[in-house]
Amino acid sequence: MTEFMNIQLFSEKTGISKSALRYYEAKNLLLPRERSTNGYRIYSNEQIATVKLISSLRLADIPIKDIKVYLTENDEAKQKQMMENWINNINKKKDLLSQPPLFRK
């Protein structure tokens, strides 16, 4: 059964701030399922995984335009390739950070 919730409850359930949810909406990454008669944003529990993915990708410094492409891509193979590319880039950065310093005092 689909559970619907306002932005406050959705924020509490996901751990994503209300301001971040509004920002994701402004960037067309995550739109509320609907608006109530009084204009409140209404989200569904099916959107929880999506908003957590968006938040994780943002924490990994993935550009919003790339996340938008990922979310709108219908080909799972292309989505998988995008994710693998991001992971490879993050691993390269991690490898760079784990190198010993070039200069010593």
Side-chain angles (χ1 to χ4, degrees):
M1 184 174 139
T2 300
E3 179 184 349
F4 294 101
M5 57 204 101
N6 64 19
I7 194 169
Q8 178 68 38
L9 182 56
F10 193 69
S11 174
E12 290 170 6
K13 273 198 158 187
T14 61
I16 310 299
S17 70
K18 292 185 291 185
S19 61
L21 293 171
R22 289 184 194 101
Y23 179 74
Y24 297 158
E25 179 182 1
K27 296 297 182 181
N28 289 318
L29 292 175
L30 181 78
L31 301 175
R33 282 283 178 229
E34 58 187 71
R35 292 276 184 153
S36 67
T37 54
N38 57 6
Y40 291 165
R41 293 165 177 87
I42 304 296
Y43 296 91
S44 70
N45 55 342
E46 286 87 15
Q47 293 178 288
I48 291 173
T50 303
V51 76
K52 286 186 173 187
L53 172 65
I54 293 167
S55 181
S56 296
L57 292 173
R58 290 299 300 139
L59 286 171
D61 288 330
I62 305 301
I64 287 175
K65 64 180 179 61
D66 293 348
I67 297 172
K68 199 178 291 189
V69 169
Y70 180 86
L71 293 174
T72 58
E73 181 57 64
N74 293 324
D75 185 343
E76 286 185 35
K78 288 182 182 178
Q79 280 185 319
K80 183 178 179 185
Q81 185 60 53
M82 289 177 76
M83 190 65 71
E84 287 173 2
N85 290 341
W86 292 333
I87 291 169
N88 288 336
N89 288 336
I90 290 168
N91 284 332
K92 287 177 188 176
K93 289 178 186 178
K94 180 182 163 234
D95 290 344
L96 286 173
L97 290 171
S98 65
Q99 296 295 317
L102 295 176
F103 302 101
R104 297 203 183 247
K105 290 185 177 186

